[in-house]
Amino acid sequence: MYDNLLHFHTYFMDAQRIPFIIVAMLVTALIGIITGPMAGNANPFVWSMFDFLFGRAGDRIDRPSRSKKDLVFRGMFFTIILLILSLIIGKSLTQLTTQSSAVEGLVVVLCLSTGSIWYVVLKLYFTMRDKQETKDGYYCLSRSTRVNLNTIDDYGIVREGLVFSAISFDKSLVAPSLWYLIGGVPFLIIYSILSFGVWRFGKCGFTKGFGRTLIVLERLMGYVPSLFSGMLYTAASVIAPSANMIQGFKAWWQAKDRVPYEEGGIMLSALAWPLDISLGGPVQDSSGVTLKKTWIGPEGASAKVEAYHLKRGIIINIVANLMFLLSLSSAYVYSGHVF
């Protein structure tokens, strides 16, 4: 009985894929922190690739002047096309990975992001702390979040940096990794294209209708991984300076003022409560649409977050990455494999 429980994870995932994720985490961390994000976008490379291929086409279809019913239908049709394409890509890549493990490793690397996220948040931290004139940090954050930073003050920019680091840990690392472990490259590609679609057209749930199908499907695949990501973030909060881990655990049972999944879900709760700050608040996305996001945080917490909160947030993110790496390594060893 104990042995079955110890190896329970092997019943729903392939432990032989774990080394590919570990290597991909190390590669993306090293390259991202040295070179920074490509073209200012710190999200996974495949998101940028899909954006190049489908971003403008989606914008032409997603016209605010159209009715909600029309946009929902068009969004559903657009999503079906993306899913069919992801299945074709996944099947083709699977055939290639059977011939070369290097191809499989490259695919995983392109679907994850770690170091670029640290680069953006750290760049923003140093810029705001030292009152630098360079705008690189702002540009990268704006490109990566699709938020118009010109419409918010410095407190709002810090909040967006913290929100980006937390959500990216879930959507750009944990969720795609878990689906890769469960279903290999095809599931990895399917989730990646859904998460891209939500980032590009979901508008944090405030879409008029075009991104609704993408949001629903991504939530079906991403909800459970987000809980695991939130637990890692809560556990990592004990390391951050001045963070309160006990306060972090309260976020899991305090139903009041919970942030919707589309706006960050439990990830923002797991960050706001330990740091005793308020996150969220209205912003304008890059298309000019106002997103009236929910305020999330402990009662009485201030939304006037400073640059030093970015340092705390990035420490939590890095520690959570290490914890995820440790959990993968433990699962690999307990499944009977040796590095």
Side-chain angles (χ1 to χ4, degrees), residues 25-306:
M25 289 180 64
L26 298 176
V27 170
T28 56
L30 182 61
I31 294 178
I33 202 66
I34 293 176
T35 66
M38 181 179 295
N41 192 343
N43 294 302
F45 176 81
V46 293
W47 289 21
S48 296
M49 182 182 69
F50 292 141
D51 189 28
F52 175 78
L53 294 174
F54 307 109
R56 291 185 179 180
D59 288 336
R60 294 193 192 99
I61 303 172
D62 186 17
R63 296 291 179 84
S65 58
R66 294 191 172 102
S67 67
K68 180 178 180 180
K69 183 177 180 180
D70 185 29
L71 287 174
V72 170
F73 176 78
R74 289 170 180 266
M76 185 182 302
F77 183 73
F78 184 76
T79 303
I80 291 173
I81 293 177
L82 291 182
L83 289 176
I84 292 174
L85 179 65
S86 67
L87 290 173
I88 294 174
I89 295 175
K91 184 176 181 180
S92 301
L93 289 176
T94 300
Q95 293 176 348
L96 291 175
T97 56
T98 57
Q99 303 173 10
S100 173
S101 59
V103 174
E104 185 166 359
L106 178 61
V107 171
V108 179
V109 167
L110 297 179
C111 290
L112 304 183
S113 181
T114 53
S116 294
I117 297 165
W118 303 339
Y119 181 97
V120 170
V121 180
L122 285 172
K123 188 76 172 179
L124 183 66
Y125 164 67
F126 291 126
T127 298
M128 302 194 74
R129 185 196 66 178
D130 301 332
K131 306 297 181 182
Q132 299 175 1
E133 295 183 1
T134 175
K135 301 298 181 181
D136 290 349
Y138 299 118
Y139 171 74
C140 292
L141 180 63
S142 181
R143 282 272 293 153
S144 301
T145 60
R146 293 186 56 79
V147 169
N148 182 1
L149 300 182
N150 292 320
T151 62
I152 52 180
D153 57 14
D154 286 350
Y155 299 127
I157 293 174
V158 173
R159 290 196 300 270
E160 284 303 308
L162 290 169
V163 168
F164 172 64
S165 67
I167 294 179
S168 296
F169 174 71
D170 177 33
K171 305 304 178 188
S172 300
L173 176 61
V174 176
S177 296
L178 293 182
W179 280 110
Y180 169 66
L181 291 177
I182 294 172
V185 170
F187 278 39
L188 173 62
I189 298 297
I190 290 174
Y191 180 77
S192 294
I193 207 165
L194 287 176
S195 56
F196 149 74
V198 171
W199 167 76
R200 187 63 172 79
F201 305 107
K203 302 182 186 300
C204 296
F206 294 95
T207 172
K208 187 177 177 181
F210 182 77
R212 180 53 53 189
T213 304
L214 287 163
I215 290 174
V216 171
L217 293 180
E218 193 281 328
R219 179 167 184 164
L220 287 174
M221 294 189 72
Y223 184 76
V224 173
S226 72
L227 297 179
F228 181 53
S229 300
M231 287 189 288
L232 290 174
Y233 242 60
T234 299
S237 66
V238 72
I239 306 297
S242 304
N244 189 331
M245 187 177 181
I246 303 300
Q247 183 78 347
F249 283 121
K250 292 181 180 180
W252 289 85
W253 66 76
Q254 289 190 3
K256 183 180 179 181
D257 298 328
R258 279 284 182 88
V259 65
Y261 174 85
E262 294 80 8
E263 299 176 31
I266 191 61
M267 291 305 301
L268 298 197
S269 299
L271 180 61
W273 257 263
L275 297 184
D276 194 27
I277 57 176
S278 287
L279 297 174
V283 296
Q284 185 183 90
D285 78 349
S286 56
S287 65
V289 177
T290 299
L291 313 178
K292 298 180 180 179
K293 297 195 293 184
T294 305
W295 289 102
I296 181 67
E299 186 175 353
S302 176
K304 295 182 177 181
V305 289
E306 304 284 354

